[in-house]
Amino acid sequence: MKKRTFLILGASCLLVLYSCTNDVENNATESSKLSTEQLLSKNSNGKKPESGFFDPAGLISPSAKGTVSIIQDGFNFTEGPAVDRHGNVFFTDQPNDRIYKWSASTGNVSLFLEGTGRSNGMAFDKDGNLIACADMYGELWKIYPDGSHDVLIDNYNGKLLNGPNDVWINPVTGGMYITDPIFPRGNYWEADDPRLVGNPNWPPTHSEQAETGKGGHVYYLAPGATELVRVTTMEGWDADIWPNGIVGTPDGKKLYINQWTGGPTGNIWSFDINEDGTLSNLATFVSGLQGSDGMSMDEQGNVYVSSGGIKAFDPSGNKVLEINNSGGSTNNVFAGQNNKELFITSANYISTIKMNVKGVEKFKP
């Protein structure tokens, strides 16, 4: 999630570029076994939905009429949409250091907080606090409903993080996972910041978290803990990358992490989540993506990734949806009072599209 500095250097690459039920698991398993033709028959009586997008599974509501509805524009770079238990969405405008709220009941957008530590990716915990990746000083914040905050984490092994980028909270345990790629923020990091001093040019080659290379890792913060655990230490993980979007299953057993790339060489990986919060069984879920960013999940287990527009993949990694919205996409989350609106952040605007499926990231009231 975001690369304001990279926008200056190459924006066109980016833009082109508590409660789990057996029904969710069964639907995900069933969908993974169906071909595109079977999905057409199952969801739309053998006819494609009334949508201008690739949607053989009928995931988009016919009421959307094949269009994405722009809610508001005029932002600098929107990111980090997080849905609260009422279906409202809080999102960031990182260059302006602000968090806004979109109301699910009125559709209005209002300013929630100014002075956010340059927050990027966010998620709500079960207590209604907003957990934010604040990359100004490489921190993870807990923002309370009144706008005050605590700094949960500001280092790993005593060294500055690259810049926490996105966060997923395990709905079963409450443990938090954060991605930590190095995207130097020349427009607002302090001039003597070692993350900036060590990276005078693009692409970055220095990280406080590695002797050489980008030091791109994923970290876990256990409930009540004050220190991070690095969970991408297994064989096959390449730390000289930009780990970015992250999402997990509602049963808390599987995690998906993607890799931002400037060309069509990016992956989404899957991992098993162990009882102690560590990860195992690294596997390639989807490959050949470009500019992958934030992710979400629906009740069928489909993974939605912001990659140019929006692409969705069933639990077996088959593409079941593509939304080519103008201006690309930086992140997405299911929201709304019925949890069936896909809320999309883009460079300078926010939008929604009505869906036939619900998301899984909203804690119940």
Side-chain angles (χ1 to χ4, degrees), residues 84-275:
D84 70 11
R85 64 188 63 196
H86 303 294
N88 307 310
V89 175
F90 290 67
F91 64 95
T92 68
D93 188 356
Q94 193 178 24
N96 288 321
D97 203 17
R98 294 173 178 171
I99 296 174
Y100 290 91
K101 175 186 176 181
W102 170 75
S103 170
S105 60
T106 68
N108 294 332
V109 175
S110 59
L111 179 65
F112 168 67
L113 185 64
E114 193 163 13
T116 71
R118 304 288 180 173
S119 288
N120 195 344
M122 304 190 296
F124 276 95
D125 67 15
K126 64 180 178 60
D127 297 320
N129 302 308
L130 192 57
I131 306 302
C133 294
D135 81 2
M136 180 67 187
Y137 299 109
E139 298 171 332
L140 186 68
W141 284 19
K142 178 189 284 187
I143 302 175
Y144 298 97
D146 65 359
S148 62
H149 76 273
D150 290 331
V151 176
L152 299 179
I153 289 294
D154 63 3
N155 73 91
Y156 174 70
N157 280 349
K159 294 184 178 181
L160 194 64
L161 292 165
N162 288 329
N165 187 282
D166 206 353
V167 56
W168 178 74
I169 301 174
N170 189 320
V172 177
T173 67
M176 304 176 190
Y177 294 85
I178 63 170
T179 57
D180 188 46
I182 181 71
F183 287 112
R185 316 294 192 179
N187 54 329
Y188 58 76
W189 282 356
E190 295 174 357
D192 61 351
D193 190 314
R195 300 171 296 173
L196 202 56
V197 173
N199 291 299
N201 302 305
W202 180 267
T205 57
H206 168 77
S207 167
E208 295 293 288
Q209 291 298 330
E211 293 185 5
T212 60
K214 301 178 183 67
H217 283 286
V218 179
Y219 298 89
Y220 174 66
L221 184 65
T226 58
E227 295 184 358
L228 292 173
V229 174
R230 182 178 285 174
V231 290
T232 44
T233 58
M234 69 284 292
E235 183 179 354
W237 179 262
D238 179 5
D240 194 25
I241 63 165
W242 293 278
N244 203 316
I246 185 168
V247 72
T249 54
D251 62 5
K253 294 182 179 180
K254 189 171 287 292
L255 190 67
Y256 297 90
I257 298 165
N258 72 38
Q259 164 197 15
W260 183 91
T261 57
T265 58
N267 298 316
I268 301 175
W269 295 283
S270 66
F271 302 80
D272 290 338
I273 300 175
N274 304 319
E275 289 188 5

Side-chain angles (χ1 to χ4, degrees), residues 256-259 265-270 283-289 292 303 305 311-314 316-319:
Y256 297 90
I257 298 165
N258 72 38
Q259 164 197 15
T265 58
N267 298 316
I268 301 175
W269 295 283
S270 66
T284 300
F285 174 62
V286 175
S287 60
L289 298 176
S292 295
V303 175
V305 56
K311 298 177 178 67
F313 300 89
D314 70 18
S316 295
N318 303 305
K319 188 169 74 171

Side-chain angles (χ1 to χ4, degrees), residues 327-346:
S329 168
T330 61
N331 210 326
N332 67 92
V333 72
F334 279 83
Q337 293 180 307
N338 64 359
N339 206 19
K340 286 187 174 182
E341 291 190 60
L342 187 63
F343 186 100
I344 303 169
T345 55
S346 300

